[in-house]
Amino acid sequence: MHRKHKMTTANNHLSLSQSDLLQFANRGLLLHRWKFAPRYVDELLEHLPRLSIGRSETVAMESDGETARAFHGGQTDNHTFEQLTRLSVLLEAAQQILRDRAYVYQFKVNLKSAFAGDAWPWHQDYSFWANEDGMPISRALTAAVFLDEVSEFNGPMYFIPCSHRAQLPNGRTAPTVAEPPVTWQRHVGSTDLSYQTDRNKVTELAAVHGLVAAKGPRGTILFFDSKIVHASPANVSPMSRRILFITYNSITNRPTTLRRPAFLVNRDMRTLDVVEPHPEIIEPASDFLE
Ligand SMILES: O=C(O)CCC(=O)C(=O)O
């Protein structure tokens, strides 16, 4: 699809408002008032296979050994995805929340295939980034872009609002400490995810703050804090649930340990210029968090 992009700074009507920023600070998650239009989601889906072709080492598999669970990285080699990471509705918003210039720390698509997409146990993303990559502080966030409609049926993400402000250990709390080897697949796996949030803590936090399920139409944009406690159930439905995730990190918060592969921890830490989306690829979103 041809799009006329112009390089610019903030386009005010697409920017986050003060109340958006307050909501993110308080709850640790925010639904954007804008979403991507179906024709743009179609364009992203058309390019999706290119994130895996010839890049099998970057693809995580489900435990059945047959179904792809997630594609990692590849955005820097693909113009469509590279441009996506720069769009103001994502990058500008991330920079507003982080109050700093940002770069792409991680880029992935979780595929949650029909019938086969497995669960994600309760965890905080920052546990991985702190322990594995030496990310100094939690000044990072993730933008989720829904490539399929997400409903109560196809494995929506569950969040505990406000849990990003709880004092939780960043360490490994899964009952899997002694199991070598800790490969990168254990950072994206289902039952054996390396860093999980203690179930007693999840129970306590959920009793105070409740849970929300992130549901919405294709093109929905959702931001969540690197420390918010989240999970998702298996997808037993006949509908796939593909979500594209872009993690933005502050340029002053670069990781100190680069031992994981570049497709998990992007080595290109240069700041990005914001690109304004063509008006036809953006439309107002309606509320969906329950
Ligand atoms: O895709 C999902 O349902 C969960 C993803 C997630 O928790 C993560 O990538 O950290």
Side-chain angles (χ1 to χ4, degrees):
M1 183 187 308
H2 176 67
R3 296 198 307 275
K4 280 183 283 175
H5 282 139
K6 60 186 165 80
M7 301 291 287
T8 173
T9 53
N11 178 344
N12 284 338
H13 82 287
L14 294 181
S15 300
L16 299 184
S17 66
Q18 279 309 311
S19 104
D20 289 334
L21 293 170
L22 203 60
Q23 194 184 131
F24 186 91
N26 285 335
R27 286 168 61 79
L29 75 166
L30 177 75
L31 168 70
H32 208 308
R33 284 172 289 109
W34 296 92
K35 64 188 263 300
F36 292 116
R39 60 188 295 192
Y40 184 59
V41 177
D42 288 342
E43 184 184 339
L44 296 176
L45 286 173
E46 233 170 75
H47 284 257
L48 197 57
R50 297 185 202 171
L51 292 177
S52 66
I53 292 168
R55 309 182 75 253
S56 58
E57 75 286 0
T58 69
V59 178
M61 301 301 286
E62 297 288 1
S63 52
D64 64 10
E66 288 174 5
T67 313
R69 179 170 169 83
F71 298 157
H72 297 92
Q75 80 284 1
T76 47
D77 302 332
N78 181 294
H79 182 70
T80 299
F81 291 118
E82 200 265 344
Q83 288 293 296
L84 169 73
T85 66
R86 296 170 183 263
L87 291 182
S88 64
V89 274
L90 302 175
L91 175 59
E92 179 79 33
Q95 296 188 146
Q96 283 185 273
I97 292 170
L98 298 173
R99 283 176 286 113
D100 201 355
R101 297 208 68 190
Y103 73 93
V104 174
Y105 182 74
Q106 198 171 80
F107 181 97
K108 66 181 180 187
V109 179
N110 287 352
L111 300 162
K112 266 280 175 92
S113 299
F115 300 113
D118 210 347
W120 286 78
W122 290 102
H123 67 281
Q124 294 174 294
D125 292 339
Y126 183 62
S127 296
F128 296 83
W129 304 336
N131 289 296
E132 298 296 328
D133 312 329
M135 184 189 278
I137 56 170
S138 59
R139 202 167 181 190
L141 64 85
T142 298
V145 177
F146 292 7
L147 300 180
D148 289 307
E149 179 183 354
V150 182
S151 71
E152 60 271 48
F153 304 114
N154 60 351
M157 293 179 76
Y158 297 159
F159 292 93
I160 305 181
C162 310
S163 56
H164 64 305
R165 292 193 273 130
Q167 295 302 316
L168 297 175
N170 281 328
R172 189 189 305 268
T173 52
T176 50
V177 183
E179 283 176 23
V182 179
T183 58
W184 71 265
Q185 284 85 352
R186 293 250 335 263
H187 305 149
V188 298
S190 53
T191 48
D192 66 344
L193 197 62
S194 305
Y195 301 96
Q196 300 182 29
T197 307
D198 179 78
R199 286 182 176 173
N200 293 325
K201 275 286 168 203
V202 172
T203 307
E204 249 173 58
L205 288 166
V208 176
H209 303 291
L211 301 179
V212 293
K215 301 190 273 181
R218 295 187 332 138
T220 294
I221 300 168
L222 174 76
F223 298 102
F224 57 95
D225 190 276
S226 61
K227 286 182 103 171
I228 195 166
V229 177
H230 61 285
S232 68
N235 181 10
V236 297
S237 85
M239 291 91 69
S240 66
R241 195 234 62 183
R242 291 163 293 186
I243 300 181
L244 186 156
F245 296 91
I246 305 168
T247 296
Y248 293 100
N249 187 21
S250 156
I251 49 152
T252 56
N253 193 36
R254 292 180 171 117
T256 55
T257 313
L258 294 176
R259 64 172 179 231
R260 294 203 296 165
F263 57 80
L264 283 187
V265 185
N266 185 10
R267 302 299 198 266
D268 185 349
M269 303 185 211
R270 288 174 296 181
T271 57
L272 301 171
D273 289 320
V274 172
V275 172
E276 286 305 321
H278 190 286
E280 284 179 11
I281 72 162
I282 292 288
E283 56 189 39
S286 51
D287 215 12
F288 72 106
L289 287 174
E290 287 177 7

